Amino acid sequence: MVMLALVEEQVFTLVILHVNTFWPKLKPVTVLKGFVGAVTTPLPLTTIQLPVPTAGAFAFKVVLGLLIQIVWLAPALAGVVAGSTVMVMLALVDEQVFTLVMLQVRTLTPNDNPVTGLEGLGTSSIRALVLEFPKLFDHGVLLPLMAKPVQFGIEGGRWRRSMCVRGGAVRRGDDVNVEVVVRTRNVGHFFPGGTVDAFEVWLELQATDEKEQTIFWSGRVGEDGKGQVDENAHFYRSRQIDGHGNVINKRNAWSTRAVVYVHLIPPGAADTVHYRLHVPENCGGKITLHAKLNYRKFMWFNNQFSYAGVEDAGAAKGEVTPNYDDRKWAFNGDTSGVAGKLKEVPTLPITVVAQDTKDLRVIGKKEAPPEPQIITVKEDWMRWNDYGIGLFLQGDLRNAGLAFDKVTQADPQNPDGWVNIGRVRAQEGDNAGAVQVLDKALALKPGLARANYFYARVLKEDGKYDEAIAKLQSVLQQYPRDRVVWNELGRIYFLQKKYAEAVKAFQSTLAIDPEDLQAHYNLMLCYNGLGDDARAEQHKARYLRYKADESAQALTGPYRQAHPEDNNERQMVHEHVSVELSEAPRAVAKKRAAASAGAGGGR
């Protein structure tokens, strides 16, 4: 007996069930919505015996599996041809009993709508044994037996399909970790670049169900997209404060005295963002996740301040100096005299840099969630690599290593996976393990600069200085203006007490970046070793001039206590939760979604 279920892209899912009894009512099927084009025969009292699988250890009296994943798909489909009579098993949701329907199939191309109702069907006393399957039916709708993946990935200003993590489902009442990966592509600078204290770049994640309920929203913009961004959102910016702990938000960078946090993505790197999604009890059967990377030219406060900012008459008079600005502001000033034709505070557009949606299946609270089926295919190696890099930069070495393992499984001939496993092992202090995988990487691509660079760092830790120098020199032959490599080379010469060679290496760094802090510090040490006190003092003075004032971080303490959202962003590993939701934001969500659809979406 065959149960035919519709899944995405009009693919048949077939499940073979054993039926112990067969007592259908002798009443023909009159309507079967959304499944096949026509039903031409009444219910017969005979069945068609489909082929029994020749492979596998399943007994015939249990579910034999999804035929699309079993080697005997072809012989099973041989019994389901146009014009043949087959048994189709459907479920009556209310009674939770199976109804057997015999129908004539004229075509194997079903309608793309799920079965939403059955008319003219009698009940049957048919019992079936279903093992280790997710719930097949919910709310009268046939649900797919394979859910969409959970994880996301942004790349190069556009979303690509997610990593192959299949079979995911979430339970009502549970908290779920959702991760979004943002990666820079084809840029030679940090993202975002420019005045990172002035504009707004943030990640927005919204979750809705098929009932049009908004069940999660991080990064929401107030006033229907015109106001301030949710302060608990994940931002890409530099959060700076003045000497009295006031945010630098008026393009007054000269007053910066401390940095609370900096979130930027290096070239060719990635950021992994964590969200905690609560699945409510009244959630529907499907959750749609919609993630967007947004950009606005100026932060909301600065825009309001520039056009309508006046000192708040109801607040105490604040003092302003080059070191701080304690004034309080109201945004109700007269805009008739502002420069330009527009005599009101403008609404700055929000540009969607990248976006994507993914669906999650929702199951009952007491049901066991199916184990996700992780598929590693060659074309997905970069997805796993980006995910691992984001975790690695957060210091989550264990999970980063697991992600990089998936890279090597997806494409064992790609050296990047082995190199990054080596980075993780070196960071964990496992130098022998790092050497093992870096050797694999160099066997695949002997001249790979990054493999030689990290290999050199491991060799330096093991005291094998000459071998490390040879590795670094091979890197410099490819990238002669890489100041990081010059600094590493100079440091090894210093450890060998070859001070003259070390000075040449650090001078090469300063030829690239005259303010490089590490080079000035090490030149101070090298000239001390050479007995040149005058030059040592010169580089000591430059080092002290360029280095950050470490004591300034004391200013961030009271600020972070008063602003827990920024304190959360400061942590290397942190997660975001939803804003408080009500009927109003749900209506806003629908309105914004409709507007986005009408505008054709973001770039």
Side-chain angles (χ1 to χ4, degrees):
M1 305 182 70
V2 183
M3 180 180 67
L4 293 169
L6 298 182
V7 295
E8 293 172 350
E9 298 177 346
Q10 297 188 1
V11 178
F12 279 109
T13 296
L14 282 75
V15 181
I16 305 299
L17 302 172
H18 174 70
V19 179
N20 291 328
T21 59
F22 176 35
W23 299 319
K25 290 186 177 181
L26 297 178
K27 185 176 180 180
V29 178
T30 55
V31 178
L32 186 58
K33 295 182 178 178
F35 199 72
V36 292
V39 177
T40 60
T41 62
L43 293 171
L45 295 180
T46 59
T47 64
I48 292 179
Q49 184 71 40
L50 288 180
V52 178
T54 58
F58 289 104
F60 185 62
K61 290 188 177 183
V62 299
V63 176
L64 298 176
L66 295 171
L67 296 189
I68 57 173
Q69 296 180 8
I70 303 299
V71 295
W72 44 275
L73 171 61
L77 284 178
V80 186
V81 296
S84 65
T85 301
V86 298
M87 289 186 174
V88 178
M89 187 167 291
L90 301 172
L92 296 181
V93 178
D94 295 336
E95 301 178 16
Q96 289 297 309
V97 296
F98 286 96
T99 296
L100 185 67
V101 180
M102 302 298 297
L103 54 90
Q104 184 77 15
V105 179
R106 289 186 172 179
T107 173
L108 289 181
T109 304
N111 296 331
D112 57 1
N113 295 321
V115 177
T116 56
L118 300 174
E119 299 179 11
L121 297 181
T123 59
S124 306
S125 300
I126 298 176
R127 295 183 291 113
L129 180 60
V130 181
L131 298 180
E132 299 181 353
F133 266 95
K135 188 175 182 182
L136 300 181
F137 301 92
D138 194 6
H139 303 297
V141 178
L142 278 168
L143 294 180
L145 298 181
M146 294 181 63
K148 284 188 176 180
V150 178
Q151 294 175 330
F152 287 65
I154 287 183
E155 180 172 320
R158 59 186 177 88
W159 283 85
R160 290 185 58 187
R161 296 190 182 276
S162 58
M163 288 181 279
C164 293
V165 183
R166 308 290 185 186
V170 295
R171 297 188 301 186
R172 294 180 178 88
D174 283 359
D175 286 346
V176 181
N177 178 38
V178 178
E179 295 174 322
V180 181
V181 179
V182 186
R183 177 183 186 251
T184 57
R185 250 188 114 193
N186 300 325
V187 293
H189 55 77
F190 282 76
F191 174 83
T195 52
V196 293
D197 64 309
F199 48 63
E200 290 176 320
V201 179
W202 74 99
L203 200 59
E204 180 181 355
L205 179 65
Q206 186 178 9
T208 57
D209 65 9
E210 76 274 19
K211 302 176 184 178
E212 297 187 342
Q213 297 182 109
T214 297
I215 63 176
F216 182 95
W217 203 344
S218 174
R220 185 183 71 190
V221 181
E223 300 179 34
D224 196 14
K226 301 177 182 179
Q228 299 188 67
V229 181
D230 164 27
E231 60 185 11
N232 290 292
H234 188 76
F235 289 92
Y236 294 100
R237 67 184 179 189
S238 173
R239 196 58 155 173
Q240 304 169 13
I241 57 176
D242 65 19
H244 282 184
N246 303 300
V247 176
I248 302 298
N249 52 15
K250 302 181 292 295
R251 302 303 303 270
N252 53 327
W254 59 83
S255 297
T256 299
R257 295 297 178 269
V259 177
V260 180
Y261 68 83
V262 179
H263 278 172
L264 304 175
I265 306 178
D271 181 36
T272 301
V273 188
H274 311 273
Y275 294 92
R276 177 177 293 186
L277 167 66
H278 177 73
V279 184
E281 299 285 352
N282 65 341
C283 182
K286 183 181 74 171
I287 293 175
T288 298
L289 300 171
H290 187 192
K292 295 190 294 184
L293 183 63
N294 296 322
Y295 169 88
R296 187 158 61 180
K297 178 60 178 177
F298 297 108
M299 66 174 66
W300 179 87
F301 186 98
N302 185 39
N303 188 44
Q304 298 288 321
F305 167 79
S306 300
Y307 279 81
V310 293
E311 287 194 61
D312 189 350
K317 184 71 173 179
E319 186 179 6
V320 57
T321 74
N323 299 320
Y324 57 84
D325 185 350
D326 289 339
R327 293 174 293 177
K328 306 300 179 184
W329 299 94
F331 304 129
N332 53 12
D334 182 13
T335 60
S336 62
V338 299
K341 296 180 180 181
L342 188 64
K343 303 302 179 182
E344 61 183 9
V345 179
T347 298
L348 296 180
I350 296 174
T351 300
V352 179
V353 180
Q355 63 179 323
D356 193 25
T357 58
K358 292 289 179 288
D359 292 336
L360 289 175
R361 186 166 53 88
V362 182
I363 61 177
K365 184 176 182 179
K366 295 183 180 180
E367 296 184 55
E371 290 294 327
Q373 182 182 6
I374 301 176
I375 304 171
T376 52
V377 293
K378 185 175 182 180
E379 56 267 24
D380 280 335
W381 76 267
M382 190 175 292
R383 306 259 69 75
W384 289 106
N385 200 55
D386 295 342
Y387 179 52
I389 288 173
L391 296 172
F392 181 82
L393 294 177
Q394 294 172 0
D396 188 355
L397 300 179
R398 180 182 179 277
N399 287 317
L402 294 175
F404 294 139
D405 282 338
K406 296 299 181 185
V407 177
T408 62
Q409 293 173 24
D411 187 2
Q413 300 304 310
N414 190 321
D416 284 344
W418 303 111
V419 171
N420 286 326
I421 292 174
R423 296 176 64 185
V424 170
R425 292 182 180 180
Q427 194 76 8
E428 292 174 333
D430 182 8
N431 286 350
V435 167
Q436 181 183 14
V437 291
L438 289 171
D439 279 334
K440 290 184 178 180
L442 290 172
L444 294 169
K445 192 172 182 179
L448 187 60
R450 52 184 172 274
N452 281 307
Y453 171 75
F454 291 115
Y455 208 137
R457 295 186 61 174
V458 172
L459 293 171
K460 184 187 75 172
E461 292 297 320
D462 289 341
K464 300 177 180 179
Y465 296 143
D466 290 336
E467 296 177 49
I469 289 172
K471 295 287 187 184
L472 293 175
Q473 287 175 338
S474 70
V475 176
L476 288 171
Q477 289 177 1
Q478 299 179 58
Y479 301 99
R481 290 184 56 81
D482 192 321
R483 60 186 179 88
V484 175
V485 181
W486 280 114
N487 278 337
E488 197 70 38
L489 180 62
R491 184 63 184 173
I492 294 176
Y493 281 134
F494 173 80
L495 294 174
Q496 291 182 314
K497 297 184 179 181
K498 297 179 179 179
Y499 301 127
E501 288 87 343
V503 166
K504 292 179 181 178
F506 292 125
Q507 291 291 358
S508 296
T509 299
L510 295 182
I512 300 167
D513 182 2
E515 297 182 5
D516 187 279
L517 198 65
Q518 186 176 343
H520 284 296
Y521 177 80
N522 282 291
L523 282 169
M524 174 188 70
L525 299 180
C526 290
Y527 282 121
N528 278 332
L530 292 170
D532 191 337
D533 295 339
R535 290 185 177 177
E537 285 298 319
Q538 290 176 7
H539 288 286
K540 177 182 177 181
R542 293 169 189 168
Y543 169 75
L544 293 174
R545 175 185 176 185
Y546 298 139
K547 75 182 293 290
D549 183 2
E550 296 171 357
S551 64
Q553 282 300 301
L555 295 173
T556 69
Y559 176 87
R560 288 187 285 127
Q561 288 180 332
H563 300 83
E565 68 282 354
D566 284 336
N567 185 56
N568 183 58
E569 281 285 88
R570 179 184 170 103
Q571 310 310 312
M572 290 185 67
V573 180
H574 62 275
E575 64 181 14
H576 299 271
V577 296
S578 176
V579 299
E580 290 292 332
L581 296 173
S582 62
E583 292 303 318
R586 290 178 185 175
V588 169
K590 293 172 63 177
K591 183 176 180 181
R592 290 189 64 193
S596 177
R603 290 190 293 116

